[in-house]
Amino acid sequence: MSPQPPARSYGPELQVLNPATEEVVATVPAATAADVDAAVVRAAKAQTAWAALAPGERARLLRRFAVVVDEHLEELARLEVLEAGHVVGNARWEVGNVRDLLDYAAGGVERLTGRQIPVAGGLDVTILEPLGVVGVIAPWNFPLPIAAWGTAPALAAGNAVLLKPAETTPLTALRLAELALDAGLPEGLFQVLPGHGPVAGAALVEHPGVAKIVFTGSTAVGKQVLAKGSELLKRVTLELGGKSPNIVFADSDLEAAAAAAPMAFLDNSGQDCCARTRILVQRSAYDRFLELLAPAVESVVVGDPAAESTQMGPLISKSQLARVRSYVTDEPVGIRGKAPEGPGFWFPPTVLTGVAPDARVAVEEVFGPVAVVLPFDDEADAIRLANATPYGLSGSIWTRDVGRALRVSGAVRAGNLSVNSHSSVRYWTPFGGFKQSGLGRELGPDALAAFTETKNVFISTEGPAQ
């Protein structure tokens, strides 16, 4: 019998590093299981009062929250740069996304209606009631906007929210909770619980007082969340990994496709579940596409994320840097950009060519600035390659043929596709994946309903029996 590995111990504090310099910028107390339990009690009390508010009042407070976020846009963006290494332009967009999502969710409060269903002998209506306390477990790659994807619609639907940010990026979440109080949201309604996943995260998932978990992260951990949540029949939404294809047909605008391809996998240093890291190019256009792609990749500016001209910053941590390197060590590099040397978790933009379609780097999620370029012969071959992964989150299709765009969009097994672009996420359209990329959908017009329970009420119009 093999010996059991020693149990890992978790310290009482989280250490936040600046990934561009490796300097410690903050230490934050780590929540315990007891802290989670106490937070659930506070949240349940606050939720009862919040759900009892008139819908217009709840909407007004959420709109005020959006205004306060906008007033602190630059502060929050700089905090995101500091703890996550995001380039400042992206960070500003992310804060704006939180603001806009709060506004959008507020607009749904007074439109969260049930139905009247025709029945004999009475009136039948459905009522959408809030679930109660919702746990949101947010990732480190987009700590602020993804936290809001679950938080905003859950609050709008009348729930309380307990947010557990990633261990490496708790600062923006903590500040967001302070701004919620400044905006007038009730104490205890939106609480942030920084902590270790196996401690605070597990306590949220396993707590009987938490009605739903919204988890964004790796597929492996997502499966654990689903298994634990199922023991309590807890509702779970999962947004997990991806290995998204960027399909370039020979009839497409090759110049436009090549110009757009770099940031489709280099945005946020490739730490994006939607990153188009498998570039599939029709064989007759393969060489020309690579000729166009090389200067586009090599010209990407990698450096200080606080500088306005920077297009790509560092990876989040030393362990993530080691992970990315492990995928590239033995593979042929076709194109490589530049990255700073010295302190910081830097890795250059990298494109691999001559890689086997079933190579580890071609099928697993690297979560770094690395893409592979694979040739295909025809439409059927492109679809086969696109679907040859356990993931199905997003993807792009480049072609001038409208019929082909529709056929391929219908055949690729992914939740979010773009034609002649790389757009995946809008707060007013649904987002989520097929296969091992997740369960459920976030955002869009149905987001609030995902945080409700449907109650059916029948009212007899017939008098009592004589």
Side-chain angles (χ1 to χ4, degrees):
M1 184 175 184
S2 16
Q4 292 295 315
R8 181 180 167 189
S9 60
Y10 297 96
E13 291 183 328
L14 304 176
Q15 201 173 69
V16 183
L17 299 182
N18 180 339
T21 64
E22 303 184 46
E23 296 173 342
V24 178
V25 295
T27 55
V28 175
T32 64
D35 294 328
V36 172
D37 188 60
V40 171
V41 173
R42 291 192 299 270
K45 182 178 179 181
Q47 187 272 329
T48 300
W50 176 248
L53 284 179
E57 179 63 10
R58 205 158 68 231
R60 186 190 68 79
L61 286 168
L62 287 174
R63 290 191 181 97
R64 175 60 189 155
F65 190 8
V67 169
V68 173
V69 167
D70 191 53
E71 290 170 349
H72 293 79
L73 189 148
E74 191 67 21
E75 175 198 348
L76 287 166
R78 293 292 172 178
L79 204 54
E80 193 89 318
V81 171
L82 189 68
E83 70 171 350
H86 291 187
V87 299
V88 67
N90 284 9
R92 291 188 186 114
W93 178 90
E94 290 163 28
V95 181
N97 183 254
V98 175
R99 172 203 62 212
D100 295 343
L101 181 54
L102 285 166
D103 263 332
Y104 182 74
V109 174
E110 294 169 289
R111 294 169 179 80
L112 192 61
T113 58
R115 295 182 297 168
Q116 183 268 314
I117 302 172
V119 294
L123 175 72
D124 195 277
V125 295
T126 62
I127 301 167
L128 300 182
E129 297 186 349
L131 295 172
V133 178
V134 172
V136 176
I137 302 176
W140 49 258
N141 61 324
F142 291 102
L144 197 53
I146 293 182
W149 291 3
T151 298
L155 290 174
N159 301 279
V161 173
L162 300 178
L163 168 62
K164 202 225 60 90
E167 291 95 324
T168 49
T169 54
L171 302 183
T172 48
L174 288 166
R175 185 63 181 129
L176 193 64
E178 292 173 349
L179 296 179
L181 292 176
D182 291 347
L185 268 66
E187 191 89 35
L189 185 71
F190 173 42
Q191 301 173 62
V192 173
L193 298 165
H196 303 283
V199 179
L204 266 181
V205 173
E206 297 169 13
H207 201 292
V210 176
K212 178 172 180 172
I213 293 291
V214 179
F215 173 84
T216 302
S218 72
T219 297
V221 177
K223 290 178 180 179
Q224 296 173 23
V225 170
L226 183 62
K228 285 292 184 183
S230 69
E231 295 176 9
L232 294 169
L233 294 181
K234 194 185 298 282
R235 289 155 185 77
V236 176
T237 295
L238 302 174
E239 198 278 281
L240 307 176
K243 190 69 177 175
S244 300
N246 179 9
I247 308 170
V248 181
F249 286 95
D251 72 341
S252 68
D253 183 338
L254 290 182
E255 286 76 10
M263 295 315 296
F265 76 92
L266 296 177
D267 189 50
N268 199 28
S269 306
Q271 300 167 129
D272 182 353
C273 300
C274 293
R276 274 63 163 178
T277 56
R278 289 186 304 139
I279 306 174
L280 314 180
V281 183
Q282 195 157 17
R283 201 176 298 276
S284 60
Y286 183 85
D287 291 339
R288 177 57 180 156
F289 181 83
L290 287 179
E291 289 176 3
L292 295 167
L293 181 64
V297 170
E298 291 163 357
S299 66
V300 172
V301 179
V302 183
D304 179 6
E308 299 288 345
S309 61
T310 300
Q311 295 172 278
M312 190 184 107
L315 294 168
I316 188 67
S317 65
K318 184 178 181 180
S319 61
Q320 189 62 21
L321 177 58
R323 172 185 167 84
V324 173
R325 282 175 174 160
S326 74
Y327 279 95
V328 177
T329 303
D330 299 321
E331 297 292 351
V333 174
I335 305 168
R336 174 159 278 168
K338 297 178 181 178
E341 298 179 357
F345 308 120
W346 303 100
F347 195 87
T350 301
V351 176
L352 306 178
T353 54
V355 173
D358 60 351
R360 181 169 162 254
V361 72
V363 296
E364 295 182 11
E365 186 174 37
V366 177
F367 229 55
V370 178
V372 299
V373 184
L374 302 171
F376 66 85
D377 293 315
D378 54 21
E379 194 173 302
D381 194 30
I383 292 166
R384 179 188 63 79
L385 277 172
N387 289 333
T389 119
Y391 300 110
L393 188 56
S394 63
S396 295
I397 302 155
W398 292 79
T399 179
R400 288 188 171 98
D401 185 331
V402 175
R404 169 176 283 159
L406 292 173
R407 288 192 303 272
V408 177
S409 295
V412 172
R413 298 287 295 162
N416 309 272
L417 293 171
S418 299
V419 176
N420 296 329
S421 75
H422 294 303
S423 177
S424 289
V425 184
R426 297 178 179 87
Y427 60 82
W428 61 95
T429 60
F431 178 76
F434 286 20
K435 301 188 284 187
Q436 293 194 35
S437 286
L439 292 174
R441 292 295 180 269
E442 297 182 276
L443 307 175
D446 300 323
L448 272 65
F451 294 94
T452 64
E453 191 82 85
T454 300
K455 177 178 285 183
N456 193 77
V457 178
F458 170 74
I459 303 167
S460 174
T461 56
E462 299 179 357
Q466 299 299 317

